[in-house]
Amino acid sequence: MKILVVGGGGREHAIAWRLSQDSCQPTVFCAPGNAGTAAIAQNVPVAAEDVPALLAWAEAHRPDLTVVGPEIPLCLGITDTFNAAGLRVFGPVQAAARMEGSKLFAKEIMAAAGVPTAKALAFESAAAAEAALDDFNMPLVIKADGLAAGKGVVIAHTRLEAEAAIRSMLVEAAFGKAGAKILIEEFLEGEEASILALVDGERAVLLPPSQDHKRVFDNDQGPNTGGMGAYTPAPVVTDAMLPVIMDSVILPVVRELAKRGIVYKGVLYAGLMITAQGIKVLEFNARFGDPETEAVLPRIGGDLIPALQACIDGTLDSSLVKIKPEAAATVIMAAGGYPGKYAKGTVIHGLDAAADRPDCFVFHAGTALQDGEVVTAGGRVLAVTAIGPDLKTAVGRAYEAVAEISFEGSHYRHDIAHRAFGRKL
Ligand code: AMP
Ligand code: GLY
């Protein structure tokens, strides 16, 4: 069996690794992949966003299955394009990927489906948006409608900050077309959690809850990043909440889309805020989360490919997904300066020693091979992961693996899973 994984980050390394563990022993290709995927799969030198070039490769090599990591190709319609060429894809069609590609569309679906979320109003004119600020308490949240690589969300604590964010999106077009429409949204207080659901158009299976760490520094200080680490299970999501998430978040969205003729197949990722008033949705993504996937996939036992195939075929069943009782933690090692400017091409040492540790997985996020050495090639460089019988052990093992690895300027958070450890039992 031939599988193409689209993308080149830590998520895609984790997906390629997990699929290669399946009993059918697939041949895995990764486009474009990284130095980590090169060790377990064949890298294909095509960018994840270049749908025509991916199609050309797939038509020539006929993978039995393509698994899409990032949102951009999904929003560009890679699934529709591949399907039209008779190629099977795990990932939603373009119309369904709008759940991530347009925050307005996601709000409209949530409103129609009765899914709990922050109150929000949409604007295309700066004057109208500024006039509406009086209707919101501070802080409030301003969001670009479209894809902005995680940067299109501003939490404004003062009217001045809110006006600046509105102007930067609607007047100065800081996010181009993605910010031509904005949402002003009520600020939700609580603890965040990520739920990844496998969806087959009608049914869903929830993967274990996880939590991301978005700020760059310990104690949730400093600017937002793509995610500095993750862990699972996330005890903020109790077992009693899982049926609520299924029945009041995931399934209502899938059904509302189906009513509109949009069949959602793939991963539906719900970013949740667990508030004093209950579970509310912050956002939906149309794909596996990064770095959540690096923590969650090592907890899936047995075979994963049959579950992904069942999503495509509309035959998903919870018996197809075997969750291990272990906990898992991922520590992101980032390049010096990230999330601001950072250097590339720095040699990384100690990768083998870390990967050889029992129960550890060193997923590469931004790496490349240069003259036979593994070097940094992105802001988030490595997603160092470990599993263990409990969260404390998993986190401890991940940090022991991190201690084996060094590269100039590297930095990472020292408090992954701190919210879980800080909870009263
Ligand atoms: P989003 O891309 O919509 O998930 O927003 C990115 C991050 O901004 C979230 O993970 C939250 O940390 C924060 N955020 C977004 N919306 C809200 C909200 N309504 N209230 C509080 N925080 C928010
Ligand atoms: N971890 C956040 C995301 O994947 O969007």
Side-chain angles (χ1 to χ4, degrees):
M1 178 172 204
K2 278 201 256 183
I3 302 182
L4 171 65
V5 175
V6 175
R11 166 183 50 207
E12 288 76 24
H13 188 185
I15 293 171
W17 163 77
R18 186 58 194 78
L19 297 177
S20 67
Q21 304 292 304
D22 265 40
S23 54
C24 71
Q25 297 185 315
T27 305
V28 181
F29 298 85
C30 208
N34 57 38
T37 62
I40 56 162
Q42 295 177 43
N43 285 352
V44 176
V46 177
E49 295 82 26
D50 192 347
V51 175
L54 290 169
L55 177 67
W57 185 90
E59 288 200 300
H61 296 83
R62 304 303 303 178
D64 301 288
L65 174 66
T66 295
V67 180
V68 184
E71 62 276 18
I72 292 178
L74 292 168
C75 289
L76 289 173
I78 187 172
T79 303
D80 314 61
T81 303
F82 273 41
N83 286 346
L87 293 157
R88 288 165 68 81
V89 180
F90 177 78
V93 293
Q94 188 172 36
R98 282 186 81 204
M99 286 303 292
E100 173 162 6
S102 166
K103 291 186 192 288
L104 258 76
F105 177 73
K107 282 282 182 198
E108 184 189 317
I109 296 296
M110 283 190 267
V115 173
T117 184
K119 283 192 212 77
L121 293 173
F123 299 94
E124 291 179 51
S125 117
E130 284 177 18
L133 287 175
D134 292 333
D135 301 338
F136 288 84
N137 296 323
M138 294 287 166
L140 53 74
V141 188
I142 303 200
K143 297 185 175 183
D145 174 47
L147 295 182
K151 299 197 177 83
V153 175
V154 174
I155 296 177
H157 295 269
T158 64
R159 194 181 171 100
L160 229 59
E161 280 174 16
E163 287 174 353
I166 289 168
R167 275 198 296 273
S168 109
M169 291 184 200
L170 290 180
V171 182
E172 289 145 28
F175 301 110
K177 272 211 296 212
K181 292 183 194 158
I182 63 162
L183 287 172
I184 302 182
E185 190 169 294
E186 163 200 20
F187 179 82
L188 296 177
E189 249 169 291
E191 192 175 332
E192 287 181 56
S194 305
I195 293 284
L196 310 177
L198 300 180
V199 178
D200 78 346
E202 203 179 320
R203 284 163 294 262
V205 174
L206 304 187
L207 300 184
S210 56
Q211 193 173 63
D212 185 4
H213 296 61
K214 292 200 160 75
R215 304 292 203 98
V216 69
F217 300 129
D218 290 357
N219 297 318
D220 299 318
Q221 302 295 308
N224 266 335
T225 68
M228 291 299 288
Y231 66 97
T232 168
V236 63
V237 180
T238 62
D239 287 348
M241 288 179 196
L242 295 174
V244 178
I245 293 168
M246 181 68 110
D247 295 335
S248 63
V249 174
I250 301 293
L251 290 179
V253 164
V254 174
R255 290 184 187 132
E256 180 59 35
L257 289 170
K259 251 199 245 169
R260 298 169 187 229
I262 301 169
V263 182
Y264 197 107
K265 295 178 173 183
V267 171
L268 182 60
Y269 162 140
L272 304 176
M273 189 70 95
I274 313 301
T275 74
Q277 290 78 42
I279 294 162
K280 297 201 180 178
V281 174
L282 287 173
E283 61 160 351
F284 283 105
N285 293 321
R287 51 171 173 84
F288 284 108
D290 195 351
E292 291 94 327
T293 300
E294 291 93 307
V296 169
L297 286 190
R299 289 192 61 202
I300 299 184
D303 286 345
L304 179 60
I305 295 166
L308 305 189
Q309 300 275 31
C311 288
I312 298 172
D313 294 330
T315 55
L316 184 62
D317 185 273
S318 59
S319 66
L320 291 170
V321 184
K322 306 242 177 342
I323 305 298
K324 296 186 193 171
E326 280 99 329
T330 297
V331 180
I332 296 290
M333 296 183 77
Y338 176 80
K341 277 206 177 113
Y342 53 83
K344 291 185 183 176
T346 309
V347 177
I348 308 171
H349 303 280
L351 287 168
D352 290 341
D356 284 347
R357 298 186 72 87
D359 303 308
C360 290
F361 312 91
V362 180
F363 297 123
H364 291 217
T367 68
L369 283 168
Q370 196 176 285
D371 305 326
E373 289 187 300
V374 179
V375 300
T376 66
R380 291 191 294 173
V381 176
L382 300 167
V384 182
T385 299
I387 57 172
D390 52 57
L391 210 46
K392 273 231 144 66
T393 311
V395 170
R397 285 177 181 167
Y399 279 114
E400 284 166 20
V402 165
E404 301 274 10
I405 301 172
S406 61
F407 55 92
E408 204 184 315
S410 83
H411 64 99
Y412 57 88
R413 280 185 60 160
H414 304 80
D415 62 349
I416 297 306
H418 69 99
R419 288 185 198 280
F421 299 142
R423 298 182 82 78
K424 291 194 197 85
L425 295 174

